[in-house]
Amino acid sequence: MSTAPAKRLSINLRLTLIILSCLVLTAFMALLQGYETSFNEAEKQLDQQLVSLSQVLIETPVASWPEQNEFYAKLWQGTDTIYSAALLKSTPHEDFLKSEFRTVNVSGKRLRVYVEQKGDKTLLLAEPVNKRFALIESLIVSAMTPLVLIMPFLALAIAWYVRRALKPLTLLSKELQFRRANDFTQLKTRSEDAEVTPLLNG
């Protein structure tokens, strides 16, 4: 029992698939690289925000501190607690004796912590990591969305251009398909492409 020969892909389709595959791969790599770069840059900016806010708060009387829903603070003067958010009440002073960034777990919350010191004052300022990630990812998605949205239009443009560029070969193939073997008259297909012209004029 004979089997039908497998249908061959046209040059048009193969070339379109190759170019689109390269486009998708390039876009994916660009998105991946852009995500990593943007994430690192956003983290630096948010860390700087913690530093700036810490420098303001440590100079400001506790009674005048603004309400901070996205940050947790604890202030020591010497070893005495002057102010503490409820989440940080059990945080010991001796664990935070130098200015630094740290990521810690406190009462089941993962926090990005910055310690600011001035004179005998030590300020611990913390931000929930999940809120930070949510903000960073929303910024990255906003930046990357235009590239994702434009890809279907690029794919259509590539498919159209490949089809247009290969049109002389398509027409020549159709003309030769219905041409008799003993027909040596000039072909009707016309093209200025260097690859096709020798076939037409041969």
Side-chain angles (χ1 to χ4, degrees):
M1 183 176 180
S2 61
T3 57
K7 187 176 182 180
R8 295 179 180 178
L9 293 176
S10 66
I11 295 176
N12 188 334
L13 182 57
R14 276 186 291 172
L15 190 56
T16 300
L17 290 175
I18 290 171
I19 295 175
L20 289 181
S21 297
C22 291
L23 173 66
V24 170
L25 181 60
T26 302
F28 176 76
M29 295 301 294
L31 285 172
L32 196 61
Q33 181 64 35
Y35 182 91
E36 184 178 354
T37 302
S38 300
F39 192 91
N40 292 336
E41 185 59 33
E43 272 210 311
K44 289 179 183 177
Q45 295 295 327
L46 290 172
D47 281 348
Q48 185 56 48
Q49 183 182 9
L50 272 181
V51 173
S52 300
L53 184 57
S54 295
Q55 290 171 346
V56 171
L57 291 179
I58 204 168
E59 295 279 7
T60 306
V62 171
S64 303
W65 282 10
E67 189 68 29
Q68 294 290 339
N69 295 324
E70 297 183 355
F71 299 96
Y72 301 98
K74 186 166 185 175
L75 178 66
W76 293 276
Q77 189 157 16
T79 57
D80 297 327
T81 300
I82 305 301
Y83 172 88
S84 179
L87 183 69
L88 303 176
K89 281 190 182 296
S90 61
T91 307
H93 176 260
E94 58 268 20
D95 286 353
F96 301 94
L97 298 178
K98 61 180 180 178
S99 297
E100 63 178 352
F101 280 104
R102 201 188 302 179
T103 302
V104 299
N105 289 314
V106 178
S107 301
K109 273 188 177 291
R110 191 154 179 82
L111 303 174
R112 180 65 167 169
V113 169
Y114 176 69
V115 179
E116 176 75 18
Q117 291 188 321
K118 189 173 180 81
D120 63 344
K121 290 182 179 179
T122 303
L123 174 65
L124 185 158
L125 190 63
E127 179 182 23
V129 169
N130 62 340
K131 288 185 179 180
R132 171 176 283 220
F133 281 179
L135 175 60
I136 292 174
E137 288 183 356
S138 67
L139 293 173
I140 292 173
V141 168
S142 298
M144 298 299 177
T145 297
L147 177 60
V148 174
L149 292 178
I150 202 173
M151 282 185 61
F153 298 100
L154 286 175
L156 288 173
I158 289 170
W160 172 83
Y161 186 78
V162 169
R163 185 180 180 84
R164 182 176 180 274
L166 294 178
K167 187 175 181 180
L169 282 178
T170 303
L171 294 175
L172 180 60
S173 174
K174 288 181 178 178
E175 186 175 351
L176 291 175
Q177 185 178 357
F178 297 103
R179 192 180 181 89
R180 289 194 295 269
N182 60 352
D183 186 353
F184 299 106
T185 59
Q186 188 174 6
L187 294 166
K188 296 178 182 178
T189 302
R190 291 289 174 264
S191 175
E192 300 298 325
D193 296 327
E195 294 83 359
V196 181
T197 302
L199 293 174
L200 300 177
N201 297 335

